[in-house]
Amino acid sequence: MSSLQADDEIARLRAAIGLLNAQADTLGPSVVALAIAPLQQRLAACQAGEVPRLRQASVLFVDIVESTRLLGRLDAEDSHGLLGRALKRFAAIVEAHRGQVLRFTGDGLKAAFGMPEPAEDDAERAVRAALAVLEAAQDEARHAAATMGMAGFAVRAGIHTGPVAMGAGVEEANTLVGATVHLAARMEQAAPPGALRISHDTWRAVRGGFEAQAQPPLFVKGQDEALATFIVIRELTPGERTRGRGIEGIDAGLVGRDGELAALRQAAANPAASATLVVGEAGLGKSRLRDALLQSGAAQAQVCLTGAAWPQTTSQPFGLLRDLLWRHFQLGRSPQPDQALVQALSAVASEPDATAFAYAIGLANSQQPLPKTLPDERGALRQRSFDIATRWLRSLAEGAEATEATKGRPLLLVLDDLHWADDATLDLLDHWRGVQADLPLCLIGFSRPGAVEKRPAWTAQLTLKPLDAQASGELVDRLLQRLHPVPPALRDALLERADGHPYYMEELLGMLIDQGVIDAGGP
């Protein structure tokens, strides 16, 4: 097999077989042969690609509470209409958050985030989608009460993050296999009506971005110990967010990046147009630096806009722009996001123009023929989209959403993962920086290496390097502050293995805690 998990499995099997062979004189050849036989069979299966591939995913289950009793009050047509309307809306929310609906469960759905390829924010998007589904369910409850006189419509959701198996015939059937799926279903079954329950593994991945309440230990069949779970209350605003890695309850803060943060804050406060690209390999702390900027720089801006690219946006025209608008206008709260966008742009675009814009960025159904009001040529549609996006941005610059305290300050546009950005959005950014250079726009992008070569016009660049020895030591000491005394061997191991990468340092520590290697209970 070609996956990294399969390669690791093959290496482990070969090592185990080698160790057993080395013990042949002690254990005897017959004993070693019996022990090695199943390992050799599995090794052959791995090499032939027959063993299911393992990958990390966040699995979401959504279910309508007591649906049989509730829908039994309605006639068949109304029951089918209510259920179909709700599930269609929930599925659209999942897909808008880049999740994949695997199947409908009759009165709910099962979805996965991390397919076909995993991304760093899979768990965050799963939680964000689940909260949006619960909010949409409240709207569906009001609709059911007003149109059908039915009270008590409610939805619950659950998420677990972990390895899932995908093998021959499994991926095509949109089915996942493994304990992760079972635990995700258990999270949903144990959630109160109208709530989202997540496992500790999911909480570790999203902590610092959401407010949640720890729940009493949950006993699950097949698990030796009770599980720690959480009810998610809400997503935190950019100014409230922290990075919750490492030991739970400790925010290590930003370490070793004071100069970079000062430079970004200065750019955010400057009313002149500017563009800065922060470049760094995975694990060097781009996300932590971004969060620190949003907590401080957002207060200095007239309006703060955020957006992110992901692997799929590379081939989706205006995919990054769509993400930005989706967040800014909170389009996920509407059952018809394209119509909500048309309404939101009414001050700067006519209905036909706004409809064309929604079509161009992928909010309208791109599989249908172009409406008669839209231009026939792709070039004309693209130019119209540029014009509408620019009029909208200029309306922000002119104070359409500014308060008395923020008038005259620049617009702050913070974009993540620009190495995955689509060309259409990047062209629009160049348009804003060039043709519309009088816009008081501070553009700050975060990217892995590669985007610079793609867009050499981004001349202002900050390159993140691994933390030096002093900063690495400070970060380790902050992460281990609850351990008294700190074992020198543990401190040295974290410094050596992480090699100046804050993310790896925190994840390695978290793994040691979860596996019980160290007790981080603290005083």
Side-chain angles (χ1 to χ4, degrees), residues 304-367:
C304 179
L305 305 171
T306 62
W310 60 95
Q312 291 84 349
T313 56
T314 303
S315 58
Q316 294 178 358
F318 293 114
L320 174 55
L321 177 62
R322 171 181 169 171
D323 184 85
L324 186 154
L325 294 169
W326 186 278
R327 299 183 189 206
H328 180 70
F329 290 118
Q330 298 181 331
L331 300 179
R333 295 185 175 183
S334 171
Q336 295 181 300
D338 55 335
Q339 295 303 311
L341 180 63
V342 170
Q343 179 62 34
L345 295 175
S346 60
V348 297
S350 65
E351 183 174 348
D353 279 352
T355 300
F357 184 65
Y359 184 95
I361 68 174
L363 278 179
N365 188 351
S366 60
Q367 302 302 316

Side-chain angles (χ1 to χ4, degrees), residues 45-120:
C46 283
Q47 292 172 329
E50 298 171 1
V51 174
R53 292 175 293 156
L54 294 177
R55 66 180 64 189
Q56 189 83 353
S58 291
V59 180
L60 163 67
F61 277 86
V62 173
D63 182 63
I64 298 174
V65 181
E66 296 186 358
S67 60
T68 302
R69 179 180 62 82
L70 289 172
L71 299 177
R73 302 174 186 175
L74 306 175
D75 60 38
E77 184 177 353
D78 286 345
S79 174
H80 183 271
L82 174 62
L83 188 62
R85 168 190 163 99
L87 292 181
K88 182 178 179 180
R89 183 172 179 181
F90 300 162
I93 291 173
V94 168
E95 292 169 356
H97 287 82
R98 310 198 307 273
Q100 181 175 342
V101 176
L102 301 176
R103 65 182 176 90
F104 293 97
T105 59
D107 55 359
L109 60 81
K110 169 185 171 184
F113 293 76
M115 297 171 55
E117 295 296 334
E120 294 178 359

